[in-house]
Amino acid sequence: MKKIPYGIGNYKLLKNDNYYFIDKTKFIKKIENLGSRYLFFLRPRKFGKSLFLSMLEYYYDILAKDEFEKLFSDTYIGKNPTPLKNSYFILKFDFSGIPVGEGIEEAKEAFNQHIKNSLRSFFTVYADYLPEGAKKREEEILSLSNASTMLDTFIYSMKDYGVKYYLLIDEYDNFANNIIAEHDRRTYKDITHGGGFLRSFFAVIKNGTQNLSIDRLFVVGVSPLVLSDVTSGMNMGKNISLLPQFSTMVGITEEELEEIMNYYIREGKIQ
């Protein structure tokens, strides 16, 4: 009997460890068919955003090519794959676990370290696949201490050597929302307005989308507040949160809930 996947945010774990899976893979094709390559998607907490992002990661990652049949054969996209499957390097940031510290300097330090760790992981994971010139830039990039400078140098380095990658950002606003909750509005403005480090970081991402260094971008979060503050009114991409065709991309519909209930009734778990 399939296990209930409460709190599971890793697609590979869900598929390999016999968890119940609601097939949302048809939305991969819908995403690709949009005019924009740079997308934002907002939903409340516990809606399955992280799991969806993980699904995108395994679908597009060049390193998951040999696992495609195992992970997707019983899904819509497995039966109807797109030409882009397993064709990207994946750069992923997860802002959900970044501590905000006791002030801006502590928060900035934690943010810088998270970006450095994520970039280091990228170079480690793809060490055997990156062009030699790109690999040689690792030491230079990781020697930098500022997140925006690190990412900016990374973006131009990958562009120089033709590295095609997909940038995924999970819980993009969790970090800033915690600043509001644990500190005050002024501290929040200091990081998201003017020369604030979070705004500067998203300015680098915007530049990367404009010069096509970042081939595709998918960002998930909870609220449009931070999105508006750090991206000059969301002009770096398309917010698809309110588009009807994506209303059921995460979460559970009434029909899907009925299918789940019927499954566990047949298994004898619900009387």
Side-chain angles (χ1 to χ4, degrees):
M1 185 181 65
K2 294 184 182 297
K3 296 178 283 188
I4 298 174
Y6 180 78
I8 302 296
N10 183 286
Y11 179 77
K12 183 177 180 178
L13 173 63
L14 183 143
K15 295 294 289 182
N16 288 346
D17 208 15
N18 196 38
Y19 283 98
Y20 191 98
F21 173 64
I22 299 173
D23 189 0
K24 302 285 189 177
T25 61
K26 65 181 180 182
F27 292 101
I28 291 176
K29 184 169 287 189
K30 291 184 178 182
I31 287 171
E32 287 191 17
N33 289 336
L34 284 174
S36 176
R37 293 167 173 254
Y38 312 117
L39 307 176
F40 296 88
F41 185 70
L42 309 176
R43 282 297 184 273
R45 300 186 189 282
K46 305 301 180 184
F47 257 63
K49 299 186 300 297
S50 294
L51 178 60
F52 187 83
L53 210 65
S54 178
M55 182 180 75
L56 292 181
E57 180 178 0
Y58 284 105
Y59 180 76
Y60 288 108
D61 193 347
I62 61 171
L63 295 184
K65 185 178 297 185
D66 292 340
E67 298 179 283
F68 182 82
E69 288 300 317
K70 185 176 183 180
L71 294 177
F72 292 99
S73 61
D74 61 345
T75 67
Y76 171 87
I77 203 67
K79 299 177 178 66
N80 305 275
T82 67
L84 293 179
K85 77 177 182 72
N86 301 125
S87 63
Y88 284 102
F89 295 91
I90 302 294
L91 176 61
K92 187 175 182 180
F93 299 132
D94 181 358
F95 293 173
S96 64
I98 300 177
V100 298
E102 299 185 9
I104 290 180
E105 289 307 314
E106 291 83 357
K108 183 177 180 179
E109 182 178 349
F111 184 78
N112 289 339
Q113 188 60 50
H114 173 75
I115 300 306
K116 178 173 289 190
N117 291 342
S118 299
L119 293 175
R120 179 183 290 113
S121 177
F122 178 92
F123 281 107
T124 300
V125 168
Y126 297 111
D128 295 333
Y129 297 84
L130 290 170
E132 281 302 318
K135 287 192 290 187
K136 289 179 180 179
R137 303 298 296 274
E138 177 182 4
E139 184 176 349
E140 173 194 351
I141 292 168
L142 297 182
S143 69
L144 301 170
S145 58
N146 179 275
S148 296
T149 307
M150 277 187 279
L151 183 60
D152 189 57
T153 307
F154 172 87
I155 285 173
Y156 279 98
S157 297
M158 295 304 108
K159 182 181 180 183
D160 288 344
Y161 293 98
V163 176
K164 183 179 171 184
Y165 61 101
Y166 202 134
L167 175 57
L168 303 173
I169 303 181
D170 196 7
E171 300 289 354
Y172 91 96
D173 57 345
N174 183 280
F175 175 80
N177 288 338
N178 286 341
I179 290 284
I180 296 177
E182 298 185 28
H183 296 284
D184 52 37
R185 181 70 181 178
R186 179 177 178 180
T187 304
Y188 169 80
K189 283 190 173 184
D190 285 343
I191 71 168
T192 59
H193 290 68
F197 69 84
L198 191 59
R199 185 180 180 87
S200 298
F201 184 77
F202 275 92
V204 170
I205 293 176
K206 178 180 177 180
N207 184 53
T209 61
Q210 290 179 335
N211 65 27
L212 302 182
S213 297
I214 300 172
D215 198 74
R216 287 183 178 268
L217 167 72
F218 199 90
V219 181
V220 299
V222 174
S223 164
L225 173 63
V226 182
L227 187 59
S228 179
D229 285 340
V230 301
T231 64
S232 301
M234 301 175 288
N235 63 2
M236 62 183 290
K238 184 177 183 65
N239 184 355
I240 63 172
S241 306
L242 300 180
L243 296 182
Q245 62 265 43
F246 297 107
S247 62
T248 60
M249 190 162 70
V250 298
I252 301 176
T253 66
E254 182 178 353
E255 181 181 356
E256 290 166 344
L257 181 58
E258 288 180 358
E259 291 177 1
I260 295 172
M261 298 294 287
N262 288 335
Y263 171 80
Y264 286 106
I265 288 173
R266 291 194 303 270
E267 294 293 325
K269 280 299 184 179
I270 300 177
Q271 302 297 326

